[in-house]
Amino acid sequence: MIAIDGPSASGKGTVASRVAAQLGFHYLDSGALYRLTALGARRAGVHLPPVEHAIPPGLEQQLATHAAGLDVRFVGEQIFLAGEEVSLALRDEQTSREASRVAALGAVRAALLQRQRDFRVAPGLVTDGRDMATVVFPDAQVKIFLTASAEERAARRYKQLIGKGLTANIDDLLRDIHERDQRDASRALAPLVQDLRASLLDTTCLTADAAVEEVLRRYHASIDAPCN
Ligand code: DC
């Protein structure tokens, strides 16, 4: 079990999925579950209030019910919500912003907890998120906190969006990243923090290949010396 946590757009999804492929392990993108909750709720006509207003308890319950009943299928790199391919829609900026708000709600997190743990099946699981090492899989064998500077993350997100044919503005992306970092790290429930047993991997100046190799090196080192 390899748990990789880190901030938005740090590249942890790319690294985690490639490590999983190399080891023949399963892969869980836990952020996708929060994105699916936000997108699915919006499509069902459940809308969040403006960002300056708190989400009221009744709406939190509605969102949690929605999260518990998500009809989702992961097929390779594709994600299906109620039978429809939504991989691209999940990544747009509105869904990213809403996912971050929905993820701060205790009832939603509780509704998604067991669902995430169910992905832990043989021969192994590589997962990425914010609380993989701290809350969802606290006994993970390898824990990594993967990060990069906010500017580098905004630049990577920009390239990714443009590459997918979407429009993007680098200043808006950087502002969104700062806002999301702040919300994910300061929320009361399962905030983004480096677990005490997690090792830091700063990828600001690393290629994805080098980051994948480094995670694999730490994984193999943990097998050779499990108590270190
Ligand atoms: O990793 P991501 O950007 O796809 O995550 C989307 C949102 O979900 C992000 O704002 C943080 C939140 N999230 C979370 O709270 N806990 C996780 N384990 C994964 C993501």
Side-chain angles (χ1 to χ4, degrees), residues 12 30-31 34-35 100 103 109 129-132 184 187:
K12 58 192 187 310
S30 66
Y34 294 96
R35 290 173 182 271
S100 170
R109 301 199 77 83
R130 304 295 186 289
D131 61 343
M132 297 297 95
D184 292 344
R187 70 184 180 212

Side-chain angles (χ1 to χ4, degrees), residues 7 35 39 47 68 75 83 88 94 106 111 128-129 132 161 199 209 215 221:
R35 290 173 182 271
L39 180 69
H47 295 287
V75 184
L88 202 57
Q94 183 182 2
D128 75 85
M132 297 297 95
L161 292 171
S199 58
D209 281 349
V215 173

Side-chain angles (χ1 to χ4, degrees), residues 1-6 12-13 15-17 19 126-133 142-146 215:
M1 172 79 227
I2 302 178
I4 302 180
D5 290 307
K12 58 192 187 310
V15 172
S17 62
V19 167
V126 185
T127 178
D128 75 85
R130 304 295 186 289
D131 61 343
M132 297 297 95
V142 178
K143 297 181 173 185
I144 291 177
F145 193 81
L146 192 149
V215 173

Side-chain angles (χ1 to χ4, degrees), residues 170-191:
I170 191 91
D171 294 332
D172 291 348
L173 289 173
L174 185 58
R175 198 198 50 236
D176 275 0
I177 277 180
H178 279 306
E179 272 176 25
R180 237 175 296 152
D181 280 359
Q182 163 70 13
R183 195 179 301 127
D184 292 344
S186 65
R187 70 184 180 212
L189 294 165

